[in-house]
Amino acid sequence: MGLFKRVFDFYLDASIHVAFSVLCLYLTTLQLLETSTNCYLAGFLFFGTIVCYNFIKYGVEAEKYVIVSNPYHRIIQVFSFLCFVAVVYFFLKLDVSLWSSIFLLTALSGLYAVPFLGKHKSLRNLGGLKVYLVALVWAGCTVYLPTKDANLYLTNDFIILLLQQFLLVLLLLLPFEIRDMRFDAPDLRTLPQRLGIERTKKLGYCLVVLFLLLLFFKDDLTAIEIRYRLLLSLLVIMALFLSKKERTKYYTLFWVESIPIILYFLVWKTGAF
């Protein structure tokens, strides 16, 4: 049991689980767009998520972003370096037309962590901005990149899909914001810090309604997408309802981030819907 827990903790702490979550959001987009999978883009997003998240979580605490004193973090650093090698390989296999968009999204991710605003501050330190920035990057990676990769026109349905993905990621981040209230500095001004837990949850419920209402603005809407979005909304509402400051890391890092994974395999892979 001790070995299983150590392996499971590494799986979460090394950002492998969140990488699967991002990958499933990307694959879901492909299903909705009815286009084929680009294995190189899938690999880039999976390993890129690991590298990016580990840099944000551990790199900012390391001296000059290189020297890591904690042995456990050093293992994660080596693992991240190997993933970075994979990122370079998959990136070079991608069409050059995607490179500029990837550079922009990578720059936004870097600015989130690297202090460039003076007094050792980055974009994550600007009051309440970090969740919107993360949601924007996730939506860009899992909707904009596959749409551009498939050479699809930026239609009305694309805009709706992009907005829904942005709202979804924002909603998935709210349980993290609630749990992190115990650790976040007051000057971060996160939504739970400004609104309180209950009002943050109510805002989340309102965003879920908006998330669903956007469906009615689509030009091409299928029954399976409606059922998928409804089930997704129910799971997000449940995750918000059960959120509280006292939750362990396993609630957010595993269960909340499992929502896109569970739904992808339930709806698209098993054909249950």
Side-chain angles (χ1 to χ4, degrees):
M1 189 65 181
L3 176 62
F4 173 81
K5 185 179 184 304
R6 288 195 296 271
V7 173
F8 185 63
D9 283 342
F10 180 83
Y11 171 75
L12 295 178
D13 295 338
S15 306
I16 302 172
H17 190 62
V18 69
F20 277 117
S21 186
V22 170
L23 179 62
C24 285
L25 286 176
Y26 161 72
L27 294 174
T28 297
T29 296
L30 297 183
Q31 294 290 337
L32 295 173
L33 295 175
E34 298 181 335
T35 187
S36 58
T37 304
N38 182 337
C39 294
Y40 296 121
L41 182 54
F44 173 81
L45 290 176
F46 179 80
F47 290 105
T49 299
I50 293 175
V51 173
C52 180
Y53 265 74
N54 288 346
F55 175 75
I56 290 173
K57 287 193 294 186
Y58 309 112
V60 294
E61 297 174 359
E63 183 181 350
K64 297 181 181 180
Y65 300 93
V66 176
I67 302 173
V68 178
S69 58
N70 187 304
Y72 180 62
H73 291 173
R74 196 177 302 129
I75 296 173
I76 294 177
Q77 184 187 42
V78 172
F79 173 72
S80 301
F81 175 76
L82 295 176
C83 290
F84 178 74
V85 174
V87 168
V88 174
Y89 168 78
F90 286 115
F91 175 78
L92 293 176
K93 291 289 185 178
L94 293 175
D95 192 277
V96 176
S97 63
L98 293 177
W99 285 15
S100 59
S101 300
I102 289 174
F103 283 137
L104 176 59
L105 292 168
T106 302
L108 287 175
S109 302
L111 293 177
Y112 175 83
V114 177
F116 70 101
L117 296 174
K119 296 184 178 179
H120 306 290
K121 288 188 176 182
S122 60
L123 288 180
R124 72 188 299 183
N125 299 112
L126 294 182
L129 180 63
K130 68 174 185 176
V131 290
Y132 306 110
L133 182 62
V134 173
L136 178 63
V137 171
W138 274 47
C141 289
T142 59
V143 175
Y144 178 74
L145 288 183
T147 302
K148 187 172 183 178
D149 181 56
N151 294 315
L152 297 177
Y153 292 106
L154 303 186
T155 62
N156 174 69
D157 284 0
F158 161 76
I159 299 299
I160 298 301
L161 184 58
L162 188 67
L163 288 173
Q164 284 186 308
Q165 201 81 316
F166 177 85
L167 288 173
L168 172 61
V169 177
L170 189 61
L171 286 163
L172 292 175
L173 288 170
L174 291 182
F176 286 85
E177 295 281 282
I178 291 173
R179 178 185 173 271
D180 290 345
M181 281 185 70
R182 294 177 295 169
F183 316 108
D184 285 338
D187 59 351
L188 284 180
R189 298 180 62 213
T190 63
L191 283 172
Q193 287 176 333
R194 288 182 289 170
L195 302 178
I197 293 178
E198 291 307 314
R199 284 200 287 179
T200 298
K201 290 183 179 182
K202 290 178 181 178
L203 173 62
Y205 302 146
C206 292
L207 291 178
V208 171
V209 173
L210 176 60
F211 174 81
L212 289 174
L213 287 177
L214 285 172
L215 283 174
F216 297 99
F217 292 91
K218 293 195 68 175
D219 298 324
D220 185 18
L221 184 61
T222 62
I224 190 172
E225 182 177 357
I226 294 174
R227 292 193 290 267
Y228 166 74
R229 296 298 187 189
L230 284 173
L231 180 57
L232 181 59
S233 298
L234 288 175
L235 290 178
V236 170
I237 288 173
M238 185 182 301
L240 279 171
F241 179 77
L242 296 175
S243 295
K244 56 184 179 180
K245 289 191 295 184
E246 294 77 18
R247 287 290 181 188
T248 67
K249 71 173 184 178
Y250 300 106
Y251 176 73
T252 49
L253 290 180
F254 182 73
W255 291 112
V256 175
E257 288 181 349
S258 291
I259 291 177
I261 302 173
I262 293 170
L263 282 173
Y264 173 73
F265 281 94
L266 176 63
V267 178
W268 308 115
K269 298 303 289 183
T270 67
F273 274 39

